[in-house]
Amino acid sequence: MREKRVKSYAEAEYFLAELPKHTVKSPFDKTKGFYEFLQGEVSEAQLGRIIHVAGTNGKGSVCAFLRQIFLESGYHVGMFISPHLITTRERFVIDGDMVSEEQFVGAFNWLADRIDAYRAVENDYAPAYFERLFFMGMYLFAKAGVDITVLETGLGGRLDTTNVIKSPALCVITEIGLDHMEYLGGTVEQIAEEKAGIIKPGVPVVFLERKKEAFDVFVRKASECGSKCYIVSENEYKINEITKKFIDFSVFTRYDDYNRFTVRTPALYQVENAAIAIKACEALADAGGFERLGAASIKAGIENMRWAGRMEEILPNVYIDGAHNEDGMEAFVRSLQNAADLESCMIIFSVVRDKQYDRMIEMLCGLDMAEEFVVTHIPGERGAELCGLAEQFRRCTGKEVHAFEQIEDAVMYCIDKRDDTACSVYIVGSLYLAGAVRRLLDNRMKKQIFGGFL
């Protein structure tokens, strides 16, 4: 069977969106075999210095911090991330901009040619969705001639498609939590074992000290690989001030004792992610070959980083956050509780059906400043049942709970209420929900429906 070629971005995106219905992830050995096949045309060396990032929560944000720091330092940077919120092109970022539709189509058709050629060796090779995107990213970054590739894993680590790379400059592992347990294991230790699979012999690794079960796994794996450990401890950073718009914090670094930084977000978890990125820069400086990195560019990169869907203010006093598991929700709740200037808010919540959302709802109901809760339904089969979400909220709180099948109606209700009460609105529970809201605001309805509030 010959691979499909496309003429338009819409055609390519539709083909990729349909893939999960028809393919499954290839065994890792087959993915690795295709990667080796590509080396004659698009090699790992053409990706520049590779920073490989895994974890349960925060890995996308750490990638974004590192990308911005590298840009501030004058490097030519490619970044591969997942998931996307609106368009698949968001997964391929070159120097801060997602690739064009023309570049995407070119990469899609290049990959189709290479898959057809490889089938002379492996006639049943049929890469799944994420595999295709990774190989398209390789082509795009190699063609752009990047100095550095910031590479985020997908679901896991050890058997993740991105783990076919052989020689990263640095490995980074962010917070480990209980998510995707059907694939990665039912305990923090088991999940950490999978994530630790990205650690390569002799390659330095950055990770957190916070959860002992995960920490012990990373230390042991690093020792087995002869990899130098750069550990981020909670006592290495402190919060100075938290508002609805920014957090001022200090980090103990080699550049200054308690050098002060600012993140332009109220998300408390971004302080930890920023500290990981700063530690990663120290590790790269030690390794050599990153002479442009310095205190000024690191500080500017931390302050200038913007990350869609992570406590992002999309309208005045309206925020979306992609917290989608218990650890993420705990961090979200702590951020609201610590914002000194937040007096009252409304919460819009929805989640995909395979998440354990009872505990997430309990945490939200514990927010004293939450005046009422609004639940809605994420479109498609993956969305959790609306009635079940509303019932769980009503069991946990005596406050008002409203249910809207359409996300648009839920947002409009809160926008109207916000205008009357001046309270903030937080939309949380899933990156799918965050993406749906951003799509709503990016189309013509932003002016027609929300124009009066901008």
Side-chain angles (χ1 to χ4, degrees):
M1 181 181 69
R2 191 169 182 269
E3 279 291 299
K4 181 178 179 61
R5 274 70 171 174
V6 298
K7 295 181 179 180
S8 70
Y9 172 69
E11 190 180 0
E13 193 168 45
Y14 177 80
F15 175 85
L16 289 166
E18 291 294 301
L19 272 176
K21 301 175 184 177
H22 308 295
T23 63
V24 295
K25 184 181 183 300
S26 302
F28 187 71
D29 285 346
K30 286 197 172 186
T31 304
K32 192 173 181 181
F34 184 60
Y35 180 75
E36 296 290 349
F37 175 77
L38 294 178
Q39 294 304 296
E41 184 175 344
V42 175
S43 70
E44 186 168 310
Q46 292 173 278
L47 302 180
R49 309 291 293 277
I50 300 173
I51 317 300
H52 200 190
V53 184
T56 304
N57 294 310
K59 59 184 185 292
S61 294
V62 170
C63 287
F65 276 122
L66 287 171
R67 174 206 65 192
Q68 193 62 39
I69 289 169
F70 295 142
L71 289 178
E72 300 285 350
S73 303
Y75 289 106
H76 186 26
V77 188
M79 182 175 72
F80 177 75
I81 53 152
S82 62
H84 62 272
L85 297 182
I86 298 175
T87 169
T88 315
R89 293 187 292 126
E90 296 169 29
R91 295 173 180 247
F92 313 107
V93 180
I94 299 175
D95 291 341
D97 296 317
M98 65 181 174
V99 299
S100 68
E101 293 187 358
E102 292 75 17
Q103 288 174 304
F104 190 99
V105 169
F108 182 97
N109 288 331
W110 168 84
L111 182 61
D113 289 341
R114 304 323 300 147
I115 293 172
D116 279 342
Y118 186 59
R119 283 179 179 153
V121 179
E122 289 282 348
N123 61 8
D124 61 344
Y125 180 62
Y129 180 83
F130 187 78
E131 296 167 76
R132 288 173 184 262
L133 293 177
F134 168 69
F135 291 124
M136 286 171 61
M138 278 188 61
Y139 170 81
L140 288 163
F141 298 152
K143 190 173 182 182
V146 298
D147 301 317
I148 300 171
T149 293
V150 180
L151 182 62
E152 180 185 359
T153 63
L155 200 62
R158 181 176 62 93
L159 298 177
D160 189 81
T161 295
T162 64
N163 207 31
V164 294
I165 64 167
K166 298 177 180 178
S167 304
L170 179 70
C171 297
V172 180
I173 306 176
T174 64
E175 183 198 17
I176 301 299
L178 297 175
D179 203 4
H180 302 297
M181 293 180 285
E182 65 274 32
Y183 304 109
L184 303 178
T187 68
V188 167
E189 183 178 4
Q190 289 173 333
I191 294 172
E193 289 277 2
E194 291 298 315
K195 305 290 185 181
I198 72 164
I199 300 174
K200 301 289 190 299
V203 175
V205 56
V206 177
F207 53 88
L208 294 167
E209 187 181 40
R210 184 145 52 90
K211 290 182 178 174
K212 187 177 186 306
E213 313 99 290
F215 177 79
D216 290 346
V217 169
F218 300 148
V219 170
R220 173 173 49 79
K221 178 67 173 179
S223 176
E224 292 171 358
C225 290
S227 300
K228 185 175 180 179
C229 298
Y230 289 82
I231 298 166
V232 180
S233 169
E234 286 184 300
N235 61 20
E236 291 184 358
Y237 57 90
K238 66 175 183 177
I239 308 294
N240 302 316
E241 182 183 5
I242 304 175
T243 74
K244 289 193 297 182
K245 305 291 185 180
F246 70 88
I247 302 175
D248 180 271
F249 67 103
S250 300
V251 177
F252 185 82
T253 75
R254 67 178 57 187
Y255 301 108
D256 276 306
D257 287 355
Y258 284 97
N259 197 359
R260 296 189 73 156
F261 296 85
T262 300
V263 286
R264 295 292 174 184
T265 172
L268 197 60
Y269 54 80
Q270 292 297 32
V271 173
E272 179 176 85
N273 292 329
I276 294 171
I278 293 166
K279 184 72 74 172
C281 291
E282 293 184 8
L284 292 172
D286 283 349
F290 290 85
E291 287 75 16
R292 299 180 203 169
L293 282 177
S297 59
I298 293 172
K299 192 167 187 176
I302 297 300
E303 182 166 354
N304 293 331
M305 190 278 272
R306 302 292 183 271
W307 197 225
R310 281 74 170 180
M311 206 68 91
E312 176 191 12
E313 188 174 18
I314 53 172
L315 291 173
N317 287 324
V318 179
Y319 302 83
I320 54 176
D321 190 86
H324 59 283
N325 53 39
E326 288 188 22
D327 288 321
M329 190 59 70
E330 181 182 4
F332 169 80
V333 167
R334 283 194 294 115
S335 296
L336 267 59
Q337 289 171 332
N338 283 278
D341 55 348
L342 178 60
E343 297 179 357
S344 64
C345 68
M346 292 181 289
I347 303 289
I348 299 177
F349 179 84
S350 194
V351 69
V352 293
R353 64 171 66 246
D354 59 356
K355 297 293 181 181
Q356 298 177 326
Y357 57 78
D358 289 1
R359 177 60 186 144
M360 296 166 69
I361 291 174
E362 288 175 13
M363 285 188 272
L364 288 172
C365 289
L367 284 169
D368 293 336
M369 72 281 291
E371 294 188 349
E372 57 186 280
F373 300 96
V374 175
V375 296
T376 187
H377 181 254
I378 294 172
E381 297 178 358
R382 291 202 65 188
E385 183 185 15
L386 186 63
C387 291
L389 294 177
E391 288 172 7
Q392 182 63 22
F393 269 102
R394 292 183 179 117
R395 281 195 291 267
C396 293
T397 182
K399 298 175 182 178
E400 286 188 60
V401 178
H402 303 274
F404 295 94
E405 181 68 31
Q406 300 297 320
I407 292 174
E408 172 191 337
D409 295 333
V411 174
M412 277 301 303
Y413 171 81
C414 289
I415 291 289
D416 288 339
K417 202 74 176 281
R418 178 208 64 168
D419 192 48
D420 293 337
T421 62
C423 70
S424 299
V425 177
Y426 292 90
I427 303 164
V428 67
S430 171
L431 283 169
Y432 292 100
L433 176 63
V437 173
R438 286 187 114 253
R439 279 191 294 273
L440 181 69
L441 297 179
D442 279 354
N443 67 19
R444 60 186 176 86
M445 297 170 64
K446 183 169 185 176
K447 289 184 177 179
Q448 292 183 353
I449 296 179
F450 302 119
F453 301 99
L454 298 175

